[in-house]
Amino acid sequence: MKVWMGKSKAIFLLSSLALILAGCGEENLSALIPKGYGAESSMDLIILSTIIMLFVFIIVMLIYIIVLSRFRVKKGQEDYIPKQVEGNSTLETVWTIIPIILVIILAVPTVTATFDLADESDREDGLEIEVTANQYWWHFNYEGQEIQTSQDMYIPTGERVHLDLISSDVIHSFWVPALAGKMDTNPENVNTMFLETEEEGVYYGKCAELCGPSHSLMDFKVIAVSPEEFEQWVEDMQNVDPEEEPQDAVAQDGKAAFEENNCMGCHAIGSSPSQVGPNLTGYGDRTTVAGILEPTKENLVEWLIDPESIKPGNEMTGNYPELSDEDANDIAEYLMQLEASEVTPESVEN
Amino acid sequence: MTENIDKVNSFQKRKRKEEMKKQLISFALMIGFTVISFSLVATGLMDNMFIIPVLLILAIIQVAFQFYFFMHMKDKDHEMPALMIYGGLWVAILVFIALGVISWW
Amino acid sequence: MSITAQKRGFGAVLWDYLTTVDHKKIGILYLIGGGFFFLLGGLEAVIIRIQLLVPENDFISAGLYNEMFTMHGTTMIFLAAMPLLLGLMNAIMPLQIGARDVAFPFLNSLGFWLFMFGGIVLNLSWFLGGAPDAGWTSYAPLSLQSPGHGVDFYVMGLQLSGAGTLIGGINFLVTIVTMRAPGMTYMRMPLFSWTTFISSVLILFAFPALTVALFLLMFDRMFGSAFFDVALGGNTVIWQHLFWIFGHPEVYILILPAFGIFSEIFATFSKKRLFGYTAMVFATILIAFLGFMVWAHHMFTVGLGPVANSIFAIATMAIAVPTGIKIFNWLATMWGGRITINSAMLWALAFIPSFTIGGMTGVMLGASVADYQYHDTYFVVAHFHYVIVGGTVFGIFAALHYWWPKMFGRILHEGMGKISFWTFFIGFHLTFFIQHFLGLMGMPRRYWVFFGDQGLDTGNLISSIGAVFMTIGVIVFLINIIYTAKLDQAPADPWDGRSLEWTTASPPVYYNFKQLPLVRGLDPLWIEKMEGKGKLTPAEPVDEIHMPNSTFVPFIMSFGFSVASIGFIYQVDHSAWLIAVYVGMGIALGSMLYRSLKDDHGYHITKEELEREAD
Amino acid sequence: MSHDHSLNPETMPEEPEKATHEGKNKFLGLWFFLGGETVLFACLFGTYLALRNSTADGPASTDIFGMGLVFAMTLLLLTSSLTSVYAMHHMKNNDFKRMQLWLGITALLGIAFLTLEIYEFAHYIIDYEFTLRSSAFGSAFYTLVGFHGGHVAFGLAWLIALMVRNAKRGLNLYNAPKFYTFSLYWHFIDVVWVFIFTVVYLMGMV
Ligand code: HEA
Ligand code: HEA
Ligand code: CUA
Ligand SMILES: [Cu+2]
């Protein structure tokens, strides 16, 4: 959708803007480096409106500077009384009409883009993912595919992926700045949006609506892979065997401890739709522990022993038996060995 | 002097009587509208699609009577009150639209 | 009764202020109350900025951080900015329209005390188990789920101070309609009085929506109703609509009086009549009117659909037009004038670029699809601090410097005024300009921490440094106040003013005008000066003046309501607290009954007394 | 200058409620307040409209509302509006006794209305177990109708206080505005009721 200008022009303006800013933030996180359809249409409007605003600001400042340099009180003129002007209808008309025109220039592409982004007529054809936001984690259910993931969402490039967003508790907001603008997840109704990107990569996602103490810790990732890899991933995910025994002894102990401590009460491995806690399928391939920590075993152990110190107010704290250091270590080993697919965030980033 | 005042007074009294007559008529109309509204619903004569707008229109007319006659908004010196009531109504309409939309959204 | 101030004991002064119904003293009370809460809100802001100084800081805990910005926003908007503006309106507006007092002196005092007690109730939460933590917008269902009593304090505190504000608004409306001096037609009113009028209209129509929203939240939290309980069919979007139907007009309640202030200051210090007076008045009215039709621009990402988003986007952008008219008219007022730059004028001059930036980012936010990116990020935080601090707070500082002599009889020190201006001004831009980019670079608002590897460090550091400068500016201003308190009495008209307040002494006598002035046009004092008279012709012979009696009832009544509010909050835990509800309501309704049953005709200042007073 | 505001037929101004400066202020102040109340009730009505079908397996409006009771309540309140018009009519004629009489009738009608409303609520709660907590519909219904009932109760308290306080001293320019502002408030409550019986009850029964 290029409502108002060609792509090349947009890229030119974008890069010049980038020069001015000397850095637009982190790749795959910043809204200023758009890599998805939604983010690009927002960026077009951001640029257009910035240009209009710069124009307005320059005019205002020009008058302002002239006023301040020419009409300050001068020595010997303290008694001078200026002419008491009531107004000037020509001038006043001018500065009513010009803003109206500027506003129209901005309003037309805004409305077009608003309808364009809400156009979901091709919904039936594409991939649909149901996104459920929870305090403080994200659940993704690939509709009709028997695939459940949490925190990491895999999507194919070059295709519109439609999302159905809902919340299981309070309002959150689904935001992947580099791919698209945000959309709230309400508890009472499903909101829809779509993601579409040409570029493979691991994109940062954040929760953008205040949802409690760990609001700032509710990160997630969108992993865009080529359509072939995506197909591979789907197949792998569908063939995960949740019962599979791990190879080494520590991990086997871990699996036993995982079952003994009733972790299954909340966490599923495989395509079970249970959604009390994050789905842990392929945990070894995760980009993070609990959405925010480096995916290392140490971090996982830390999480298992004291999740409260990492995410205040999370729903896991206090709801499972206290783990011994050894159990935690074993479970961590077991979880880190879970692998579901050849297609992993690393494979994408390289 | 007193005579004069008496005259004025009796003139005012007559005016008030007139006024009172108007009030009574509007009261009768209000009761009439109410009865119509209730009987429309009670008898179920009308289709649901039509009945709701009719009920609302009857209510609005009735309320106009209250404001203009019972509360004298038609009289002089009521420009400011009228302005503020219409301001309130305008915001009220916006609120209705906003919250009414939720129910069929 | 002597009019000249005598030396009185502290107790007597205190009692005088506790019971006063004089609009000038109530104005000062508002300034003290609002000023106190401004410092408190500023302290909270500084704590926020310390927490965000470096990545993954743990200066304060996550829960406390949420309480901090919630209380910062709530305090600044409801307990600092609005009361400070109400204080200025109270102190100045009746003088500007040539009135001896406001229409309802008793209600005026009641409005103040309700605000003050509401603010105290809200802040008691800090000591009683935790402040509210669901944001100043308190979205359901987070606000329902929030543990402890924090949100209950939010509800009751705002309910009280909101009622006070509504009362104040109605009072100003009636005052302006019925109490203008002879000849003071609507189209001769100074712009500050006009914006007081229009803001009061906004208060009248906006605050009831907040009242209802708070009631629904209160019922859900305290009595188990289900407005926002999705399981029982509730709908959380209702809260958002009601809050913003109130909330957007609220931001114009904050900015319009500031617009009025600047109109006065630009005209005075340019020695020119306000350019395009009529257009300025109609632009104000238009802004207020449009202000009621744009609330959903805060809800672009709620999922209202493209039709609603488009309508609200267009309506939002439309507000740029009347606001632009104002900006250009101010510039034209100064054009060809004889501009004196002192502290008051500095704040006013700084407002123009600062507010223009804030307004322009507002229009950018209004472009719905772009807002999908900006929403709930630091871009929004930057926008609203640019308009609120660069508009309202600059306006308040400008007004304080401008009217300080009128209100307190002292002229603030120029040098210190300039120091506090420059430090605050530089700090302001340092703090908030960079936040536009932070937002776009992926920093959502209301974030307790940000991470080190996301390119957000430098921006946040700069932002926090800016806050230090602002703090210095505020502290210098406080020193200025204390320092000038010992200075000599200011003259009646220190700035070569144009409107009626400058015809009264500094500070004015308690009945304002011995004889009501006869107004012959816009800028009545200026007209008389140009005709060489320099003072206004009285519109009436010296005659006795009717004055209202002081009363302690508003204080007691507000106290009663506060006791009842606390009772309401805690009766959920233990029904014994119902006693507090009954006692509190008993006190409040009792004093209401007392007030309505006891005739209070006020008193009269006799003609002889007035004639004894020098002019 | 005398500050005696008591009235006699000779000096009776045409509009005693607005004859003094204070009276005029009170008159305007109350009208403006009603403008705000319009928004207040609009918000409650809007909430009700949004939630009226959210019955969450609890009773729905068609299950519980009864026409007879609502009709009776409507007649009571509409009539009380007329009786307060009569009272104001006599105030303008400086006929204090008749004014008090009609105000007394107004109060009785108001009390009757409130009694029926309490009966109605009790009936729903006891016979249908329909409460504030039943569903979002229940919350919205009781809050809207209850707010109106609260306004009636406050109006009654106001009216009775006025009547008792002034019983012995008759009409004067100091209390005339008080009676008049009360009557405006009372009419406004009536206006709200017209919408309640239309939007809540009648629309809830079709
Ligand atoms: C004093 C307070 C104040 C003022 C005056 C404004 C003024 C405006 N605001 Fe702002 N706003 C807030 C306080 C204020 N705002 C607050 C507190 C929030 C956040 C609430 C929260 O979520 O916590 C907010 C949020 C907010 C949002 C929601 C953002 C989001 O959450 O996603 C939007 C969206 O449209 C918006 C728009 C506007 C617009 C268009 C104006 C306009 O009125 C601005 C008009 C002014 C100008 C445009 C400049 C001068 C004009 C010219 C020089 C003429 C030429 C100009 C053009 C042609 C563009 N504001
Ligand atoms: C009138 C409104 C107003 C004003 C004036 C301010 C003023 C300031 N605000 Fe704030 N702000 C809001 C209204 C306002 N704010 C609102 C509504 C929010 C949204 C809340 C929410 O999300 O719910 C917000 C949110 C907000 C945030 C975002 C928090 C987040 O989303 O996580 C930040 C962060 O930088 C911030 C900073 C500041 C700063 C540095 C100032 C500075 O300008 C402050 C300057 C003042 C001082 C520095 C005072 C200094 C004085 C002392 C320190 C002396 C103390 C002495 C004694 C107490 C005796 N504000
Ligand atoms: Cu979830 Cu913020
Ligand atoms: Cu807004």
Side-chain angles (χ1 to χ4, degrees):
Chain A
M1 188 248 8
K2 292 290 151 294
V3 191
W4 61 276
M5 62 180 176
K7 187 152 190 153
S8 58
K9 220 161 138 199
I11 288 170
F12 167 74
L13 279 164
L14 179 61
S15 41
S16 49
L17 202 75
L19 274 176
I20 297 167
L21 299 179
C24 300
E26 194 76 2
E27 281 253 327
N28 293 358
L29 165 63
S30 174
L32 292 173
I33 312 173
K35 297 198 173 167
Y37 187 90
E40 271 161 17
S41 50
S42 292
M43 193 65 195
D44 290 348
L45 275 173
I46 292 174
I47 293 171
L48 171 65
S49 55
T50 308
I51 293 169
I52 296 177
M53 298 312 147
L54 277 178
F55 172 72
V56 170
F57 190 66
I58 288 170
I59 296 203
V60 170
M61 287 319 282
L62 221 60
I63 306 176
Y64 184 76
I65 290 166
I66 297 175
V67 162
L68 281 188
S69 54
R70 272 183 55 194
F71 302 110
R72 301 262 290 273
V73 59
K74 295 184 192 69
K75 276 235 151 41
Q77 270 199 3
E78 283 84 357
D79 292 332
Y80 162 73
I81 290 180
K83 192 160 163 258
Q84 305 291 311
V85 191
E86 274 189 36
N88 178 323
S89 43
T90 324
L91 274 178
E92 290 178 56
T93 316
V94 168
W95 60 57
T96 310
I97 301 289
I98 292 181
I100 291 179
I101 295 170
L102 292 176
V103 161
I104 292 173
I105 294 177
L106 182 58
V108 172
T110 299
V111 173
T112 328
T114 306
F115 279 91
D116 179 61
L117 288 188
D119 173 16
E120 305 238 328
S121 49
D122 57 348
R123 199 173 222 312
E124 302 310 309
D125 323 331
L127 177 62
E128 274 181 56
I129 304 176
E130 185 186 270
V131 177
T132 310
N134 309 271
Q135 285 171 318
Y136 303 94
W137 56 282
W138 297 86
H139 188 85
F140 309 110
N141 171 20
Y142 289 68
E143 279 168 40
Q145 311 247 30
E146 307 230 316
I147 298 176
Q148 315 272 338
T149 68
S150 293
Q151 319 291 37
D152 287 357
M153 173 164 125
Y154 288 77
I155 60 165
T157 55
E159 178 188 338
R160 264 191 195 189
V161 180
H162 291 275
L163 308 180
D164 287 336
L165 305 127
I166 190 143
S167 163
S168 72
D169 37 51
V170 303
I171 303 172
H172 306 264
S173 194
F174 179 92
W175 189 34
V176 191
L179 293 186
K182 53 190 77 66
M183 182 58 102
D184 290 359
T185 64
N186 298 329
E188 63 265 292
N189 72 303
V190 172
N191 273 337
T192 57
M193 68 178 282
F194 62 81
L195 297 177
E196 182 182 341
T197 179
E198 301 299 328
E199 240 177 278
E200 293 179 34
V202 178
Y203 296 95
Y204 288 81
K206 294 190 177 191
C207 174
E209 181 64 58
L210 178 63
C211 54
S214 286
H215 162 57
S216 59
L217 305 173
M218 203 174 143
D219 291 4
F220 61 99
K221 298 282 168 15
V222 171
I223 297 147
V225 299
S226 67
E228 301 77 41
E229 284 174 311
F230 185 73
E231 231 163 83
Q232 171 77 42
W233 181 79
V234 167
E235 205 185 308
D236 292 343
M237 285 299 282
Q238 281 167 341
N239 292 329
V240 167
D241 173 14
E243 298 304 320
E244 194 182 73
E245 278 296 316
Q247 303 297 319
D248 66 279
V250 182
Q252 276 165 13
D253 288 353
K255 181 162 193 277
F258 190 76
E259 276 151 18
E260 263 162 42
N261 284 300
N262 197 28
C263 309
M264 304 297 248
C266 302
H267 295 285
I269 295 172
S271 62
S272 150
S274 153
Q275 287 187 19
V276 186
N279 185 299
L280 300 178
T281 313
Y283 198 77
D285 299 334
R286 283 286 191 79
T287 54
T288 56
V289 167
I292 47 169
L293 300 176
E294 288 278 301
T296 63
K297 190 172 154 194
E298 294 69 49
N299 281 339
L300 184 52
V301 171
E302 211 182 313
W303 168 264
L304 293 178
I305 287 178
D306 187 7
E308 192 65 14
S309 69
I310 293 167
K311 274 190 175 179
N314 78 77
E315 294 294 320
M316 176 156 148
T317 303
N319 289 326
Y320 64 102
E322 204 162 311
L323 295 180
S324 65
D325 284 357
E326 197 196 323
D327 275 355
N329 186 58
D330 295 350
I331 295 177
E333 184 62 39
Y334 162 61
L335 290 177
M336 292 309 277
Q337 285 187 18
L338 289 177
E339 264 159 29
S341 171
E342 300 288 292
V343 183
T344 65
E346 282 94 61
S347 77
V348 174
E349 284 195 319
N350 297 330
Chain B
M1 190 61 193
T2 9
E3 210 175 280
N4 218 347
I5 286 174
D6 271 353
K7 240 192 234 152
V8 171
N9 259 341
S10 68
F11 168 70
Q12 287 186 2
K13 264 208 170 115
R14 223 179 26 247
K15 227 176 71 186
R16 283 189 202 117
K17 272 240 172 65
E18 295 277 302
E19 182 76 26
M20 207 50 224
K21 221 187 271 161
K22 278 191 215 147
Q23 310 271 34
L24 270 173
I25 295 171
S26 46
F27 179 71
L29 285 171
M30 278 157 61
I31 295 288
F33 287 137
T34 307
V35 172
I36 296 175
S37 292
F38 274 84
S39 39
L40 277 179
V41 175
T43 54
L45 277 180
M46 238 192 238
D47 203 55
N48 281 359
M49 278 291 285
F50 293 110
I51 196 162
I52 287 177
V54 172
L55 289 177
L56 285 176
I57 289 168
L58 288 176
I60 289 168
I61 299 176
Q62 231 194 92
V63 162
F65 274 121
Q66 284 268 2
F67 273 121
Y68 278 93
F69 289 93
F70 283 16
M71 298 169 80
H72 300 280
M73 225 163 78
K74 65 176 176 22
D75 295 4
K76 66 167 181 23
D77 259 10
H78 282 67
E79 297 80 14
M80 271 292 161
L83 190 66
M84 292 300 162
I85 293 294
Y86 279 111
L89 282 177
W90 169 238
V91 179
I93 289 168
L94 293 171
V95 173
F96 282 145
I97 295 172
L99 296 180
V101 166
I102 292 182
S103 51
W104 46 263
W105 163 54
Chain C
M1 184 180 295
S2 168
I3 291 157
T4 41
Q6 307 159 333
K7 279 259 179 273
R8 287 175 305 169
F10 176 73
V13 176
L14 185 67
W15 180 250
D16 182 21
Y17 273 90
L18 290 181
T19 59
T20 188
V21 292
D22 177 353
H23 71 93
K24 298 177 289 301
K25 286 184 182 153
I26 291 176
I28 289 173
L29 284 173
Y30 267 117
L31 292 185
I32 295 172
F36 169 75
F37 285 120
F38 178 76
L39 293 180
L40 202 60
L43 193 64
E44 284 151 3
V46 170
I47 293 171
I48 290 174
R49 283 317 324 165
I50 295 178
Q51 168 63 23
L52 298 176
L53 188 65
V54 289
E56 291 181 73
N57 200 356
D58 59 355
F59 175 66
I60 55 175
S61 71
L64 187 56
Y65 182 81
N66 288 5
E67 294 173 22
M68 207 54 77
F69 68 71
T70 301
M71 285 300 277
H72 163 69
T74 314
T75 303
M76 280 298 197
I77 300 241
F78 292 100
L79 307 179
M82 262 218 295
L84 285 169
L85 292 171
L86 287 175
L88 292 165
M89 294 173 182
N90 249 312
I92 302 301
M93 181 274 287
L95 294 172
Q96 282 197 329
I97 63 171
R100 292 214 170 88
D101 205 329
V102 290
F104 305 110
F106 176 88
L107 289 183
N108 202 12
S109 148
L110 179 62
F112 169 76
W113 289 111
L114 281 173
F115 142 68
M116 198 61 210
F117 276 100
I120 292 170
V121 166
L122 179 55
N123 276 282
L124 278 180
S125 61
W126 286 116
F127 310 104
L128 298 173
D133 58 358
W136 85 285
T137 51
S138 220
Y139 276 16
L142 182 65
S143 52
L144 293 182
Q145 209 205 41
S146 168
H149 285 300
V151 175
D152 301 329
F153 278 98
Y154 170 94
V155 170
M156 299 314 298
L158 289 191
Q159 204 66 284
L160 284 176
S161 67
T165 308
L166 185 60
I167 290 174
I170 293 180
N171 183 20
F172 289 143
L173 286 176
V174 177
T175 305
I176 290 177
V177 173
T178 65
M179 296 179 69
R180 281 165 289 121
M184 177 59 83
T185 59
Y186 284 110
M187 290 315 277
R188 288 177 184 173
M189 281 202 306
L191 252 240
F192 180 64
S193 295
W194 255 114
T195 52
T196 300
F197 187 73
I198 302 296
S199 304
S200 302
V201 173
L202 290 176
I203 289 176
L204 178 63
F205 295 140
F207 267 75
L210 178 67
T211 307
V212 170
L214 291 173
F215 265 118
L216 305 189
L217 185 56
M218 172 181 166
F219 288 176
D220 265 18
R221 279 184 67 97
M222 297 182 193
F223 307 125
S225 63
F227 292 104
F228 310 122
D229 182 345
V230 177
L232 287 176
N235 189 314
T236 62
V237 182
I238 291 175
W239 169 270
Q240 300 187 27
H241 276 301
L242 289 179
F243 186 87
W244 290 119
I245 285 171
F246 149 76
H248 189 85
E250 166 69 17
V251 309
Y252 293 122
I253 296 171
L254 292 177
I255 200 64
L256 290 182
F259 285 174
I261 292 164
F262 295 124
S263 303
E264 307 289 311
I265 292 180
F266 285 134
T268 303
F269 293 113
S270 307
K271 289 260 177 300
K272 262 187 74 195
R273 187 193 145 103
L274 185 68
F275 191 92
Y277 173 86
T278 319
M280 288 298 242
V281 171
F282 283 102
T284 310
I285 296 172
L286 194 57
I287 292 174
F289 178 74
L290 289 172
F292 274 104
M293 302 195 297
V294 301
W295 76 89
H297 66 211
H298 297 273
M299 301 167 64
F300 281 145
T301 65
V302 170
L304 299 178
V307 180
N309 280 4
S310 301
I311 294 173
F312 283 101
I314 294 170
T316 300
M317 292 176 193
I319 298 190
V321 178
T323 318
I325 293 178
K326 283 184 162 277
I327 297 273
F328 292 115
N329 274 327
W330 285 316
L331 290 171
T333 303
M334 289 187 282
W335 189 282
R338 205 201 76 192
I339 303 174
T340 317
I341 298 185
N342 56 14
S343 317
M345 188 64 170
L346 268 179
W347 287 104
L349 285 172
F351 150 83
I352 290 204
S354 310
F355 180 83
T356 304
I357 294 174
M360 293 184 321
T361 53
V363 176
M364 293 169 72
L365 287 166
S368 47
V369 167
D371 185 68
Y372 299 166
Q373 290 288 19
Y374 306 129
H375 179 68
D376 263 335
T377 68
Y378 266 78
F379 191 93
V380 176
V381 175
H383 155 69
F384 68 74
H385 284 92
Y386 259 86
V387 279
I388 293 188
V389 179
T392 309
V393 174
F394 282 19
I396 290 169
F397 275 117
L400 287 177
H401 284 89
Y402 182 60
W403 282 314
W404 201 264
K406 194 50 48 191
M407 295 186 291
F408 299 97
R410 305 285 184 276
I411 296 177
L412 287 171
H413 187 267
E414 269 300 315
M416 271 190 268
K418 286 191 173 131
I419 296 174
S420 59
F421 166 77
W422 283 111
T423 40
F424 195 94
F425 178 74
I426 292 169
F428 161 70
H429 284 281
L430 271 182
T431 306
F432 297 117
F433 192 72
I434 194 81
Q435 289 183 356
H436 295 114
F437 300 102
L438 281 177
L440 285 169
M441 280 151 59
M443 175 132 174
R445 64 193 280 210
R446 296 168 170 177
Y447 260 32
W448 166 53
V449 289
F450 58 95
F451 293 106
D453 55 357
Q454 301 186 351
L456 305 170
D457 310 17
T458 326
N460 274 299
L461 182 66
I462 295 175
S463 184
S464 294
I465 293 173
V468 177
F469 280 84
M470 276 194 276
T471 312
I472 298 172
V474 173
I475 290 172
V476 173
F477 180 72
L478 294 179
I479 297 173
N480 195 349
I481 293 177
I482 297 165
Y483 173 79
T484 45
K486 303 191 297 284
L487 293 186
D488 292 341
Q489 194 78 11
D493 181 16
W495 315 123
D496 194 8
R498 312 172 70 86
S499 41
L500 283 182
E501 73 267 32
W502 305 111
T503 63
T504 61
S506 295
V509 287
Y510 63 99
Y511 47 81
N512 292 358
F513 300 95
K514 188 189 275 184
Q515 294 159 283
L516 290 182
L518 180 68
V519 176
R520 297 194 294 136
L522 181 65
D523 293 339
L525 178 57
W526 184 259
I527 293 180
E528 305 297 344
K529 282 178 182 168
M530 286 304 102
E531 295 186 0
K533 276 209 303 232
K535 68 191 240 233
L536 270 101
T537 323
E540 56 178 16
V542 178
D543 200 350
E544 56 178 23
I545 296 173
H546 179 221
M547 297 296 290
N549 287 323
S550 295
T551 164
F552 195 45
V553 177
F555 186 95
I556 299 284
M557 206 189 284
S558 311
F559 174 75
F561 279 123
S562 318
V563 172
S565 306
I566 307 265
F568 264 118
I569 293 173
Y570 283 101
Q571 51 82 27
V572 183
D573 301 340
H574 197 293
S575 54
W577 280 96
L578 283 173
I579 298 173
V581 176
Y582 297 137
V583 170
M585 286 312 273
I587 297 176
L589 294 178
S591 37
M592 223 184 261
L593 199 67
Y594 170 80
R595 165 72 189 173
S596 46
L597 295 189
K598 189 181 164 298
D599 287 358
D600 182 357
H601 292 290
Y603 67 95
H604 288 80
I605 313 171
T606 61
K607 203 167 154 180
E608 295 71 44
E609 249 181 294
L610 284 169
E611 275 166 353
R612 249 181 287 129
E613 298 289 340
D615 272 307
Chain D
M1 191 160 103
S2 122
H3 302 294
D4 175 20
H5 288 307
S6 68
L7 291 179
N8 55 55
E10 279 77 47
T11 59
M12 177 73 186
E14 192 172 351
E15 290 179 317
E17 75 276 5
K18 285 191 278 182
T20 61
H21 183 66
E22 285 75 19
K24 215 166 159 180
N25 284 349
K26 283 209 173 75
F27 164 84
L28 273 176
L30 195 102
W31 267 108
F32 292 179
F33 173 71
L34 295 182
E37 289 263 275
T38 308
V39 179
L40 183 108
F41 276 104
C43 292
L44 290 167
F45 272 107
T47 308
Y48 178 82
L49 281 178
L51 296 176
R52 70 198 195 103
N53 296 322
S54 304
T55 48
D57 303 332
S61 57
T62 39
D63 303 337
I64 52 172
F65 293 160
M67 188 154 298
L69 189 64
V70 179
F71 190 63
M73 287 163 77
T74 305
L75 285 190
L76 284 174
L77 212 56
L78 283 183
T79 313
S80 84
S81 207
L82 181 74
T83 55
S84 71
V85 167
Y86 265 108
M88 287 310 105
H89 175 70
H90 291 302
M91 183 185 88
K92 292 191 179 180
N93 285 339
N94 200 16
D95 188 340
F96 182 69
K97 286 245 167 57
R98 288 224 176 96
M99 182 186 86
Q100 286 283 70
L101 177 70
W102 283 108
L103 285 179
I105 297 174
T106 307
L108 289 178
L109 290 168
I111 290 170
F113 170 86
L114 214 53
T115 315
L116 285 188
E117 181 149 280
I118 292 167
Y119 164 77
E120 186 205 2
F121 282 9
H123 166 64
Y124 294 158
I125 292 169
I126 295 162
D127 299 341
Y128 294 102
E129 290 182 4
F130 175 64
T131 68
L132 185 76
R133 303 172 185 212
S134 302
S135 61
F137 164 62
S139 309
F141 170 77
Y142 283 107
T143 306
L144 170 58
V145 181
F147 250 77
H148 175 263
H151 274 71
V152 175
F154 180 82
L156 281 172
W158 183 0
L159 173 57
I160 291 166
L162 269 181
M163 287 176 65
V164 172
R165 174 66 183 89
N166 294 302
K168 288 228 182 64
R169 78 170 150 188
L171 200 60
N172 58 34
L173 287 183
Y174 179 70
N175 60 22
K178 297 189 178 204
F179 285 111
Y180 190 80
T181 45
F182 162 77
S183 85
L184 285 179
Y185 176 83
W186 194 257
H187 289 307
F188 184 78
I189 296 177
D190 210 37
V191 164
V192 174
W193 181 257
V194 169
F195 278 108
I196 290 189
F197 84 66
T198 305
V199 172
V200 177
Y201 292 101
L202 292 183
M203 274 165 61
M205 283 188 279
V206 293

